[in-house]
């Protein structure tokens, strides 16, 4: 992998308010995601063997790595990729999933968009501790899954389309312990156009 950096966002920290507040965005991006990026670059600096292959390739097969490197790569590298996708899948411009091809696949897999949202929320509420809930492509089908900590779905060979950060740092300032309310609000700022593009790319 190459030296990593924080992605440029297509919106301002304040643009997602009231669904995600400015202060949460600022701290989340600069301190939390920024922390993963700098720790990942530190790991890269100490372990030249990580220069071979992309970060995604390294995470898809960690079996050749030393135990001490593997855990850090999963935590920092997963943290970096998970947040990159999280930011890219947010937008202040409200989008309706119905407008995109992905909605047909969701209707056939989950019966309706609201059934998908219910199932996704139940999965997220059932996650103990910190982690993520995901909509992924697995064997060409849509699947909802949870991961703990910063584990990326690509570790298990799944293709992440959409993920919600369920660490308290993602919502506690605005929603306190009400994870359910945070999830309900978050749907309002999902960038379905981007999610749909990732889905279409996964088909080829
Ligand atoms: Mn986070």
């Amino acid at each position: 992998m190459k030296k990593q950096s924080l992605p440029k966002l297509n919106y301002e920290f304040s643009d997602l308010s009231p669904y995600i507040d400015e202060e949460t965005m600022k701290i989340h991006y600069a301190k939390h995601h920024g922390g993963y990026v700098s720790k990942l670059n530190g790991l890269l600096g100490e372990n030249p063997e990580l220069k071979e292959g992309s970060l995604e390739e390294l995470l898809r097969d960690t079996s050749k790595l030393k135990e001490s490197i593997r855990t850090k790569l999963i935590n920092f590298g997963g943290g970096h990729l998970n947040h990159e996708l999280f930011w890219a899948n947010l937008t202040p411009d409200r989008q309706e999933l119905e407008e995109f091809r992905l909605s047909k696949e969701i209707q056939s897999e989950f019966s309706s968009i609201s059934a998908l949202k219910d199932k996704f929320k139940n999965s997220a509420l059932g996650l103990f501790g910190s982690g993520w809930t995901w909509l992924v492509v697995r064997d060409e089908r849509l699947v909802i899954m949870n991961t703990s900590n910063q584990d990326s779905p690509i570790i298990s060979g799944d293709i992440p389309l959409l993920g919600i950060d369920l660490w308290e740092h993602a919502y506690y300032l605005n929603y306190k312990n009400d994870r359910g309310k945070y999830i309900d609000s978050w749907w309002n700022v999902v960038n379905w156009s981007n999610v749909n593009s990732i889905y279409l790319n996964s088909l080829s």
Side-chain angles (χ1 to χ4, degrees), residues 28 32-33 36 79 83 86-87 132 150 165-167 169-170:
H28 197 175
H32 292 275
H33 189 179
Y36 293 124
H83 286 86
F86 187 68
W87 309 129
W132 295 70
Q150 292 297 354
D165 189 338
L166 297 170
W167 288 54
H169 66 233

Side-chain angles (χ1 to χ4, degrees), residues 61-116:
D61 181 12
T62 58
S63 62
K64 295 184 206 82
L65 297 173
K66 280 181 283 184
E67 180 66 35
S68 58
I69 300 177
R70 183 188 303 134
T71 306
K72 287 178 181 164
L73 186 79
I74 287 172
N75 289 340
F76 309 152
H80 177 41
L81 289 182
N82 292 344
H83 286 86
E84 268 191 331
L85 182 62
F86 187 68
W87 309 129
N89 277 339
L90 294 174
T91 176
D93 305 317
R94 191 169 177 114
Q95 296 179 357
E96 299 304 328
L97 172 56
E98 288 84 346
E99 292 167 25
F100 300 98
R101 155 86 189 278
L102 174 63
S103 69
K104 294 194 178 55
E105 199 59 32
I106 284 175
Q107 279 158 8
S108 86
E109 189 66 53
F110 301 99
S111 85
S112 69
I113 292 170
S114 67
L116 160 83

Side-chain angles (χ1 to χ4, degrees), residues 2 33 47 56 64 77 97 106 122 155 181 199-200 204:
K2 289 187 240 144
H33 189 179
N47 301 281
E56 287 87 346
K64 295 184 206 82
L97 172 56
I106 284 175
N122 285 335
I155 295 169
K181 197 172 170 197
Y199 171 67
L200 296 179
S204 51

Side-chain angles (χ1 to χ4, degrees), residues 18-29:
Y19 307 111
I20 304 177
D21 63 284
E22 181 177 4
E23 186 70 4
T24 297
M25 286 296 297
K26 231 186 251 178
I27 298 170
H28 197 175
Y29 178 85

Side-chain angles (χ1 to χ4, degrees), residues 101-180:
R101 155 86 189 278
L102 174 63
S103 69
K104 294 194 178 55
E105 199 59 32
I106 284 175
Q107 279 158 8
S108 86
E109 189 66 53
F110 301 99
S111 85
S112 69
I113 292 170
S114 67
L116 160 83
K117 289 183 177 177
D118 287 347
K119 197 172 176 193
F120 193 94
K121 184 178 180 181
N122 285 335
S123 188
L125 291 175
L127 176 85
F128 182 75
S130 295
W132 295 70
T133 291
W134 303 95
L135 177 66
V136 304
V137 176
R138 178 184 298 162
D139 301 329
E140 295 176 12
R141 292 188 64 174
L142 296 175
V143 175
I144 291 169
M145 69 183 289
N146 288 347
T147 59
S148 291
N149 304 312
Q150 292 297 354
D151 290 7
S152 162
I154 70 175
I155 295 169
S156 52
D158 299 306
I159 302 168
L161 302 181
L162 176 67
I164 186 169
D165 189 338
L166 297 170
W167 288 54
E168 284 186 343
H169 66 233
Y171 63 90
Y172 205 85
L173 286 179
N174 204 9
Y175 297 100
K176 300 297 181 283
N177 58 331
D178 196 345
R179 185 184 277 186

